[in-house]
Amino acid sequence: MSMIRRPIGIFDSGVGGLTVARFIFSYLPERPVVYFGDTAHVPYGSRSRRELIVFGERIISFLLKLGAEVIVAACNTSSSVSLPVLKKRFSVPIIGMIEPGVRAALKATREKRIGVIATEATVNSGSFRRAFEAFDPEVQVYQQACPLFVPLVESGKVDTEEARQAAFAYLKPLQEVGIDTLVLGCTHYPFLTPVLQEVLGPEVRIVDPAEEVVRELVKALGNGCGEHQGDCPERQEHRFFASGPTTSFYTLGKRLFGEFPFTVEQVNLDHSEGESTISWIMLPGNSQPGLEGGN
Ligand code: DGL
């Protein structure tokens, strides 16, 4: 009997979720992934709660149509702002970023002085502060919003003087209060890890929550989450979708994985009430990322 495996659905505002996908590829190599990067609406960090709920609903509905068995909200902003509502709306298990990030930070910290860098929406939501308090009330948490980082990453400017200057400015207040651990509270930020570590020096531990998120995912799948819901997909390979520009997938995908041998399909979900109204544009493969024509 052939074994059909249903895909893991992942979404983010753009390429940030690729930093989570890489751990899914290594922990669950037999699993197909369907990835949605909402590049038409990036950055999410300055979006309202209502917008984030609407985007999340459309994306999750789309991923479910492709047979997703479980959803990873590979976006701290969505995890902080819209996830409680989305979890009520959908019966599929949805795994978020915040609690796993807090668990990973608590394992890493020596002095319980933890910095969190994240989008404005994540910082304003108070999600990290609440989760740290719930896990360990003795921890000192210092948060810093970094609105320039996501546009820098999406435009591929990760190893630039501009990124270094921004990192200096954002990290200074956290260095002044003496953090010993820094949580990357946005999935785009691991692309900036070398610059961040250079600015912070070797003493401060940088924590990427992604691996802990994937451990939670593996556990959920082990518990048979979502089994036998809906149809099995016909295609068993990874698929990547973006609602807007796709270039960043190719340039940053290559940086992360060495190669990015996938075609990113462009899908506009903006007016989607149902499958029939989703407009779908096939783009050229990764050999010609500059040729994308927009909507
Ligand atoms: N990568 C997302 C996050 O983890 C969203 C960043 C953004 O689009 O502002 O928060």
Side-chain angles (χ1 to χ4, degrees):
M1 200 176 72
S2 73
M3 180 73 172
I4 304 275
R5 291 190 182 276
R6 296 181 51 201
I8 293 163
I10 309 181
F11 76 92
D12 177 45
S13 62
V15 289
L18 295 179
T19 65
V20 180
R22 71 173 152 175
F23 288 103
I24 298 181
F25 294 156
S26 64
Y27 277 71
L28 296 161
E30 75 289 357
R31 282 276 176 170
V33 155
V34 285
Y35 184 106
F36 193 95
D38 198 4
T39 54
H41 300 122
V42 69
Y44 273 10
S46 49
R47 296 281 179 179
S48 69
R49 180 169 175 271
R50 205 188 125 61
E51 283 177 307
L52 292 169
I53 291 171
V54 171
F55 299 155
E57 280 177 343
R58 289 177 185 162
I59 294 168
I60 293 172
S61 303
F62 177 74
L63 294 173
L64 292 178
K65 282 178 194 136
L66 293 169
E69 172 180 359
V70 56
I71 305 289
V72 179
C75 172
N76 291 266
T77 308
S78 301
S79 301
S80 299
V81 178
S82 53
L83 214 60
V85 173
L86 296 173
K87 278 185 171 171
K88 281 192 195 131
R89 254 176 231 176
F90 294 93
S91 59
V92 67
I94 308 175
I95 294 174
M97 299 294 303
I98 308 305
E99 282 78 13
V102 166
R103 280 200 303 272
L106 291 174
K107 280 185 205 162
T109 186
R110 287 155 297 193
E111 292 157 27
K112 299 194 181 188
R113 300 180 73 78
I114 299 178
V116 178
I117 52 172
T119 66
E120 284 164 299
T122 298
V123 168
N124 292 340
S125 76
S127 60
F128 272 104
R129 200 173 282 292
R130 277 194 304 279
F132 272 113
E133 260 161 31
F135 278 87
D136 184 346
E138 284 178 11
V139 168
Q140 299 289 321
V141 182
Y142 305 94
Q143 300 193 89
Q144 175 68 48
C146 308
L148 291 177
F149 279 170
V150 168
L152 280 169
V153 171
E154 283 290 329
S155 56
K157 295 180 185 161
V158 293
D159 196 12
T160 59
E161 198 41 41
E162 223 176 321
R164 208 158 283 117
Q165 293 297 331
F168 267 117
Y170 289 142
L171 296 177
K172 196 162 179 264
L174 299 176
Q175 289 175 293
E176 282 171 359
V177 293
I179 59 160
D180 70 85
T181 300
L182 179 74
V183 182
L184 304 181
C186 168
T187 53
H188 280 74
Y189 297 175
F191 286 109
L192 297 165
T193 299
V195 169
L196 299 171
Q197 194 77 72
E198 185 189 315
V199 172
L200 287 171
E203 293 304 311
V204 177
R205 294 183 176 176
I206 296 183
V207 172
D208 175 358
E211 193 165 2
E212 194 68 29
V213 170
V214 176
R215 284 212 197 96
E216 191 170 318
L217 170 67
V218 171
K219 234 187 267 167
L221 290 167
N223 292 337
C225 78
E227 268 177 14
H228 313 303
Q229 292 172 1
D231 299 327
C232 279
E234 285 158 21
R235 291 169 66 160
Q236 284 283 286
E237 76 262 46
H238 303 311
R239 296 185 75 184
F240 291 85
F241 299 89
S243 54
T246 60
T247 316
S248 55
F249 277 78
Y250 298 110
T251 52
L252 290 155
K254 272 198 187 129
R255 235 171 217 272
L256 207 59
F257 304 117
E259 56 171 19
F260 191 75
F262 309 102
T263 296
V264 184
E265 299 167 65
Q266 201 180 55
V267 180
N268 177 3
L269 304 181
D270 272 352
H271 307 291
S272 67
E273 298 296 330
E275 202 161 12
S276 55
T277 54
I278 294 173
S279 63
W280 202 301
I281 301 170
M282 276 301 287
L283 290 171
N286 62 337
S287 54
Q288 296 169 304
L291 291 183
E292 66 194 68
N295 306 334

